Amino acid sequence: MLLVFWLACQDQPKVQKAVEVQTTVTVELKPQSAVAQPSEEEIVAGRAEELKTVRTKKITWKKDGSEMVLIPGGTFEMGDHFYEGGANERPVHTVTLDEFYMDVTEVTNAQYRVFMQQTGHRQPSYWTSSTYNQPDQPVVGVYWHDAMVYATWAGKRLPTEAEWEYACRAGTETAYSYGDYTKDLSQHGWWAGNSDGVPEPVGKLTPNPWGLYDIHGNLFEWCLDTYKPYEGGPELNSNIFLKVLRGGAYYCPDFILRSACRAEPQKPDYRWI
């Protein structure tokens, strides 16, 4: 399994119950109703305080050079609407979230290299392999703890599982953010049906409706949460401490790339292909 992470800029989560509170609080955004519509102008932000008074649809985050988009606040139905996945994806339940900023691509090897150079942090698995270490490929082989350290260094945090699914769905209730049919999946995500057996450079395919690339496939993404059943769902069969992974990867079958899929929680010290 290949592991990467997306980063959300927002205050500490308020609605996700199954969250381990180890978050770096970065940007406290005003409720949508309290401010004007976001500007189309893209700005470069270097500090969280800059985003408390400026509201724009896109920003470039100075620390790691990432482009981020504003994910609007709202309410959605989280979970498997079509009984296509496991019982752990149900029951479908209502979640309300404030707005937040999210990276438009997975963290690249080029970004992770800068982080290691500035902090002396250890290399991830497969760092010396030319199959996986190209600058525009997403970084692979990182522990959940590595992802948390990177997020802290960047002045951000990992998204909660609810934030991830909400951003992935982008206002849809279909199996994927673009619709229900696998025949269209290769336009939007790298999976077993279209990849060449390696992770692809980020941002090559069509983004989802909110501008996020590779939200389906290419590599799994770590979330902030400790993995727990949804309220009213089946209890876990073990006491193993697991963290949430979402999104699927280039080697996965199509159903793992669904917006609701929860198939791959792992130990936080797990990094494998």
Side-chain angles (χ1 to χ4, degrees):
M1 183 185 300
L2 303 177
L3 311 176
V4 301
F5 40 94
W6 293 47
L7 303 171
C9 264
Q10 190 198 17
D11 199 359
Q12 181 173 309
K14 299 176 181 177
V15 300
Q16 184 73 354
K17 296 181 179 178
V19 169
E20 182 180 76
V21 183
Q22 295 181 354
T23 179
T24 301
V25 177
T26 54
V27 179
E28 183 178 357
L29 299 176
K30 296 179 180 179
Q32 274 190 306
S33 59
V35 294
Q37 289 298 307
S39 167
E40 296 288 345
E41 180 183 4
E42 184 169 352
I43 66 170
V44 176
R47 296 179 301 112
E49 289 76 10
E50 297 174 32
L51 299 178
K52 291 184 177 181
T53 56
V54 176
R55 188 164 174 269
T56 183
K57 289 184 178 179
K58 289 185 179 181
I59 64 172
T60 297
W61 193 249
K62 191 177 297 184
K63 184 69 173 184
D64 63 358
S66 60
E67 183 178 334
M68 305 183 79
V69 293
L70 182 66
I71 306 300
T75 298
F76 79 113
E77 298 301 308
M78 184 174 181
D80 176 14
H81 295 226
F82 306 105
Y83 286 78
E84 296 177 315
N88 65 335
E89 297 174 13
R90 299 186 294 275
V92 174
H93 53 287
T94 302
V95 177
T96 299
L97 295 167
D98 293 333
E99 60 187 2
F100 56 96
Y101 284 98
M102 195 171 200
D103 287 5
V104 302
T105 70
E106 297 158 326
V107 175
T108 65
N109 286 319
Q111 291 172 307
Y112 205 81
R113 182 182 296 278
V114 173
F115 158 66
M116 292 192 301
Q117 290 171 343
Q118 292 190 10
T119 64
H121 195 77
R122 63 191 175 198
Q123 293 182 353
S125 300
Y126 321 109
W127 188 252
T128 59
S129 170
S130 61
T131 302
Y132 304 109
N133 68 3
Q134 301 307 302
D136 292 335
Q137 286 178 308
V139 63
V140 308
V142 294
Y143 294 153
W144 180 84
H145 301 291
D146 295 328
M148 290 288 286
V149 175
Y150 180 96
T152 300
W153 167 80
K156 307 176 187 178
R157 63 165 172 79
L158 299 179
T160 67
E161 185 178 19
E163 288 169 343
W164 188 96
E165 184 170 327
Y166 178 66
C168 177
R169 288 189 176 279
T172 68
E173 293 187 353
T174 47
Y176 306 93
S177 65
Y178 63 84
D180 290 317
Y181 299 108
T182 302
K183 66 181 179 64
D184 299 321
L185 181 56
S186 292
Q187 300 175 38
H188 301 267
W190 298 106
W191 63 295
N194 70 340
S195 75
D196 291 325
V198 296
E200 295 286 338
V202 301
K204 290 176 64 176
L205 299 178
T206 304
N208 81 347
W210 286 348
L212 303 175
Y213 292 88
D214 303 316
I215 194 76
H216 302 292
N218 209 12
L219 295 182
F220 281 97
E221 287 107 34
W222 283 116
C223 293
L224 180 67
D225 306 39
T226 298
Y227 177 74
K228 293 182 179 180
Y230 294 151
E231 186 173 350
E235 294 298 321
L236 299 179
N237 293 324
S238 75
N239 294 320
I240 298 176
F241 180 71
L242 301 174
K243 288 293 184 180
V244 174
L245 284 165
R246 284 301 201 104
Y250 69 89
Y251 52 83
C252 290
D254 54 2
F255 67 90
I256 300 295
L257 278 65
R258 293 175 299 107
S259 301
C261 185
R262 308 182 82 205
E264 293 286 345
Q266 297 293 347
K267 296 179 181 179
D269 59 353
Y270 210 58
R271 48 179 179 176
W272 60 295
I273 288 185

